Amino acid sequence: MMRFLPILFVLLFSVKTSANSHEDFLQCLSHFSEVIYTPKNSSYSTILHSAIGNPRFNTRTVPKPLVIITPRNVSHIQTAITCSEKHGMQIRVRSGGHDYEGLSYLSWMLPFVVIDLFNLRTVTVDASDSTAWVEAGATIGEVYYGIAEKSRTLAFPAGLCPSVGVGGHFSGGGYGMTLRKHGLSLDHIVDAHLIDVNGRILDRNSMGEDLFWAIRGGGGNTFGVVIAWKLSLVQVPPSVTVFEVARNSLEQNVTRLVHRWQYAISKFPREFSFKVYIARANSSDQQGKTAIETKFSSMFLGEVDKLLPMMQKTFPELGLMREDCIEMTWIESVLYFYGFPWNGSLDVLLNRTSRLPSFKGKSDYVKQPMPEIAWEGIWRRMNLVDVRRSQLQLTAYGGIMNEISESSTPFPHRAGTLFQIQYAVVCNGDDDLKASDQWHTNWIRKLYSYMAAYASKNPRGAYVNYRDLDLGVNNLHGTTSYRQASIWGKKYFGNNFDRLVRVKTEVDPTNFFRNEQSVPPYHQYLSNIEGRATYDS
Ligand SMILES: Cc1cc2nc3c(=O)[nH]c(=O)nc-3n(C[C@H](O)[C@H](O)[C@H](O)COP(=O)(O)OP(=O)(O)OC[C@H]3O[C@@H](n4cnc5c(N)ncnc54)[C@H](O)[C@@H]3O)c2cc1C
Ligand SMILES: *[C@@H]1O[C@H](CO)[C@@H](O)[C@H](O)[C@H]1NC(C)=O
Ligand SMILES: *[C@@H]1O[C@H](CO)[C@@H](O)[C@H](O)[C@H]1NC(C)=O
Ligand SMILES: *[C@@H]1O[C@H](CO)[C@@H](O)[C@H](O)[C@H]1NC(C)=O
Ligand SMILES: *[C@@H]1O[C@H](CO)[C@@H](O)[C@H](O)[C@H]1NC(C)=O
Ligand SMILES: *[C@@H]1O[C@H](CO)[C@@H](O)[C@H](O)[C@H]1NC(C)=O
Ligand SMILES: *[C@@H]1O[C@H](CO)[C@@H](O)[C@H](O)[C@H]1NC(C)=O
């Protein structure tokens, strides 16, 4: 009973005061009205829709922000934080908008404000000391472009999709086709500028090593607003080798191929990164069963003459041929893996628009090779006639990932991980409550429970950048307990979760920066209620 009284109190209180506080809040922001968009403004909807990575959250019924703020300088963000605190507004920070659950532009707890960082996206590369300062509204495509303007032998390890934002990406991990050689994006961040809950601008020195540790992997919208990252760039050879070969179950035994791939991973040199994409094919086999289509996709930091004998030795079953391979520069490989013509203009990297269908995603880490029968169970599930489009993406781990300790950053999935799985299924998109979407979401949940036997355990690991609210959510009205949050928190952060909670308790004890899956402080329940009462009275 005790537990529920204060919640009621807060609910009643916010209903009573909301109309006034909205006006007061807008008043508080009024001295930079040129970057404030309320729903009355004709640009509001264009700006809101400009970075909705998952159209599942682009429906009429999804709650919309009271205002969108598009800061042009840091003082706009500081004021936005102060005004939001004063008037009991929740903020959502958006960089590239690719959050799988839309948490950078939607909240079910009203009212909320979106701070969209797209005006703050300068990329400054210093090739002479192999570093770059990158503002938090930049996309990884803009980072790649900025590097390529200065050098063709410098690179940065990050994801494949150029429109992903550095704000979210580097706050959760960031990996791509150099994972086994260079690790994650966050392994190469050497400084950052952050605005904390008091509106102060901190750098690595003034924030201290605990907070600097936490913001590199502890998840976005939790410790403050990152305004810029300093990257340490990596060296790549002038020429890399790429290939993407398709294998269809009509012609090949893909079960055997994928099964063997698992055993080959630990033999690959770290210069070699490897993904396998798996989907249902359009065609069917002799028994009338829909075929399974795989794509083996790799990059080798070196020349084809070295790659071929290595493949012959480690994974001859694939039957890789010289004509499957292309030598190119690293920046061309970025275009290649995203499906652009690799010899075309780099300008495509500056396009911030992504066009994905509505989807639901999940992730797993696998530590032991899965038996053939397990893979066949997956094919059976992918073959269910009603699953319109589903995809599995396997990413080989190992290499340098085995050598970085679990606690060196909040990202814990290091030594002992054989590969990562991303599951994705396409939903309808018109209205997320439609029965068919429900069907697809249930389908992926069932696949996930089938996989429990083969995935990592105690806790079952997941990638925070493939955010999945099925793993558990906070109660945004202030009742999240440590125990409740640790259910999803230990999956994303393993043993690092406790240190994240300690840092959070120190830097944001009233839990101002929060969302459905942000690390909460200890005693969040009490402090939040007190905080609320103070603001409102
Ligand atoms: C098409 C697609 C391809 C992808 N490919 C890869 C890949 O190859 N490798 C990989 O590792 N991941 C990949 N991802 C996942 C991606 O890394 C995450 O979705 C990432 O969080 C997106 O960052 P964002 O800035 O675009 O997202 P946003 O939705 O803007 O932000 C994500 C979270 O971070 C918070 N946040 C954003 N900016 C800041 C800031 N400046 N300060 C504090 N908090 C902030 C947001 O509030 C939100 O909680 C992909 C995602 C998609 C949709
Ligand atoms: C930021 O913008 C505001 C006006 O919106 C201006 O008053 C202020 O001087 C600017 N600050 C900087 C550092 O440019
Ligand atoms: C919309 O907001 C922008 C930026 O604040 C402003 O320049 C513009 O005049 C506004 N338009 C309308 C119709 O209110
Ligand atoms: C694929 O190969 C495995 C042995 O590696 C065998 O058990 C299985 O029956 C084969 N499947 C097909 C369809 O040939
Ligand atoms: C499968 O069929 C769909 C619809 O007919 C088509 O759009 C798609 O390109 C096909 N995919 C492949 C790999 O052939
Ligand atoms: C890229 O390569 C293709 C195929 O080799 C060729 O047809 C095209 O002209 C090339 N484009 C450019 C911009 O060089
Ligand atoms: C940017 O990408 C989107 C989505 O793929 C595409 O529709 C649009 O035409 C592209 N814009 C430019 C200028 O190339």
Side-chain angles (χ1 to χ4, degrees):
M1 197 58 209
M2 279 287 289
R3 275 172 64 85
F4 294 100
L5 272 174
I7 308 168
L8 257 180
F9 169 73
V10 168
L11 283 175
L12 291 174
F13 221 60
S14 32
V15 169
K16 202 183 77 191
T17 59
S18 62
N20 277 341
S21 73
H22 292 184
E23 276 161 37
D24 293 348
F25 174 66
L26 291 173
Q27 190 60 39
C28 185
L29 298 174
S30 62
H31 62 280
F32 54 89
S33 57
E34 72 280 6
V35 296
I36 304 299
Y37 296 84
T38 65
K40 287 195 200 116
N41 189 298
S42 53
S43 305
Y44 170 92
S45 145
T46 314
I47 291 181
L48 181 63
H49 293 129
S50 67
I52 290 192
N54 190 346
R56 231 173 106 217
F57 305 110
N58 198 2
T59 67
R60 264 180 307 117
T61 49
V62 162
K64 304 290 187 288
L66 181 71
V67 294
I68 306 170
I69 304 171
T70 59
R72 292 195 172 273
N73 71 36
V74 168
S75 74
H76 296 155
I77 305 176
Q78 292 170 300
T79 309
I81 291 174
T82 322
C83 294
S84 301
E85 280 184 294
K86 200 163 150 205
H87 297 284
M89 297 288 156
Q90 231 202 116
I91 65 167
R92 295 290 158 116
V93 185
R94 184 163 73 176
S95 173
H98 281 54
D99 192 276
Y100 277 22
E101 300 277 12
L103 298 193
S104 56
Y105 49 84
L106 91 85
S107 167
W108 296 89
M109 184 192 173
L110 301 172
F112 71 104
V113 171
V114 168
I115 300 183
D116 190 314
L117 299 173
F118 73 87
N119 283 322
L120 298 175
R121 60 170 197 273
T122 307
V123 173
T124 312
V125 175
D126 183 347
S128 68
D129 74 349
S130 302
T131 59
W133 270 105
V134 173
E135 285 187 312
T139 60
I140 55 176
E142 289 165 338
V143 175
Y144 296 152
Y145 187 94
I147 296 171
E149 275 187 315
K150 294 285 173 72
S151 164
R152 296 289 154 121
T153 53
L154 287 174
F156 193 70
L160 270 59
C161 173
S163 53
V164 164
V166 302
H169 198 55
F170 299 171
S171 297
Y175 75 94
M177 297 307 282
T178 59
L179 176 72
R180 302 181 75 257
K181 170 75 177 176
H182 294 298
L184 306 171
S185 305
L186 51 75
D187 296 324
H188 300 268
I189 291 172
V190 291
D191 202 345
H193 292 162
L194 174 90
I195 307 185
D196 75 0
V197 66
N198 301 312
R200 288 178 306 185
I201 304 175
L202 305 173
D203 66 3
R204 178 175 187 165
N205 238 333
S206 53
M207 78 177 79
E209 282 305 303
D210 270 347
L211 181 52
F212 185 61
W213 173 85
I215 60 172
R216 288 170 300 148
N221 217 88
T222 306
F223 302 99
V225 179
V226 174
I227 47 183
W229 304 103
K230 186 180 185 185
L231 317 181
S232 165
L233 307 179
V234 301
Q235 206 74 44
V236 285
S239 183
V240 304
T241 305
V242 303
F243 67 80
E244 284 196 323
V245 296
R247 298 288 184 255
N248 189 303
S249 61
L250 294 179
E251 293 108 37
Q252 301 251 340
N253 189 333
V254 297
T255 307
R256 198 172 79 92
L257 214 45
V258 174
H259 184 249
R260 292 313 305 161
W261 176 77
Q262 303 175 104
Y263 291 89
I265 292 172
S266 58
K267 296 183 230 149
F268 296 143
R270 68 185 53 192
E271 287 70 27
F272 190 60
S273 289
F274 208 139
K275 274 175 177 277
V276 186
Y277 298 87
I278 302 170
R280 195 178 72 156
N282 281 342
S283 38
S284 22
D285 62 17
Q286 299 92 322
Q287 290 96 50
K289 249 184 9 195
T290 317
I292 292 292
E293 205 162 61
T294 56
K295 187 170 77 179
F296 290 81
S297 176
S298 296
M299 178 157 86
F300 178 61
L301 292 164
E303 285 158 10
V304 68
D305 288 338
K306 287 216 181 88
L307 169 67
L308 286 171
M310 184 275 289
M311 282 296 282
Q312 190 50 40
K313 211 167 100 196
T314 54
F315 192 28
E317 296 88 346
L318 184 61
L320 187 72
M321 316 269 265
R322 178 175 287 266
E323 51 268 35
D324 296 324
C325 303
I326 316 175
E327 283 182 359
M328 56 180 66
T329 62
W330 170 78
I331 193 69
E332 287 169 337
S333 81
V334 171
L335 302 186
Y336 176 83
F337 287 114
Y338 197 60
F340 297 125
W342 61 270
N343 58 354
S345 160
L346 296 184
D347 290 354
V348 291
L349 297 175
L350 303 177
N351 188 345
R352 296 174 64 93
T353 311
S354 79
R355 198 141 299 168
L356 283 183
S358 295
F359 67 95
K360 169 69 192 162
K362 289 180 162 299
S363 61
D364 254 327
Y365 291 92
V366 176
K367 300 189 162 191
Q368 303 287 334
M370 291 166 41
E372 288 186 346
I373 189 165
W375 291 106
E376 279 169 356
I378 298 177
W379 312 158
R380 271 200 304 282
R381 283 164 175 79
M382 293 182 97
N383 272 331
L384 287 177
V385 74
D386 286 281
V387 182
R388 274 195 298 173
R389 257 164 76 199
S390 61
Q391 189 196 58
L392 257 60
Q393 206 182 109
L394 318 179
T395 302
Y397 266 53
I400 196 173
M401 292 300 276
N402 280 341
E403 288 161 19
I404 299 172
S405 88
E406 180 187 343
S407 60
S408 86
T409 72
F411 181 98
H413 316 293
R414 304 277 191 172
T417 298
L418 193 57
F419 57 95
Q420 176 192 269
I421 306 182
Q422 181 195 243
Y423 312 89
V425 66
V426 171
C427 304
N428 237 353
D430 324 327
D431 183 343
D432 53 323
L433 299 175
K434 273 197 178 154
S436 101
D437 273 7
Q438 203 64 54
W439 202 95
H440 289 89
T441 311
N442 285 339
W443 176 86
I444 201 170
R445 287 178 185 147
K446 279 189 204 142
L447 175 61
Y448 187 74
S449 49
Y450 166 75
M451 287 296 293
Y454 310 107
S456 61
K457 293 176 185 63
N458 303 317
R460 182 174 182 179
Y463 181 29
V464 67
N465 265 351
Y466 292 159
R467 193 193 301 285
D468 176 8
L469 295 185
D470 293 350
L471 302 179
V473 292
N474 297 338
N475 180 332
L476 292 180
H477 293 281
T479 57
T480 303
S481 66
Y482 167 83
R483 186 191 292 256
Q484 193 183 344
S486 69
I487 294 171
W488 57 262
K490 296 214 162 166
K491 291 179 193 296
Y492 291 147
F493 308 118
N495 293 324
N496 298 319
F497 180 69
D498 287 351
R499 184 173 174 198
L500 289 170
V501 171
R502 277 203 303 281
V503 176
K504 173 73 176 179
T505 309
E506 214 166 283
V507 303
D508 183 19
T510 65
N511 206 18
F512 171 68
F513 293 106
R514 66 186 185 279
N515 62 35
E516 287 76 359
Q517 271 183 352
S518 57
V519 171
Y522 289 121
H523 311 305
Q524 183 213 321
Y525 174 62
L526 275 181
S527 51
N528 211 33
I529 298 298
E530 283 162 9
R532 272 290 190 144
T534 320
Y535 300 143
D536 286 347
S537 51

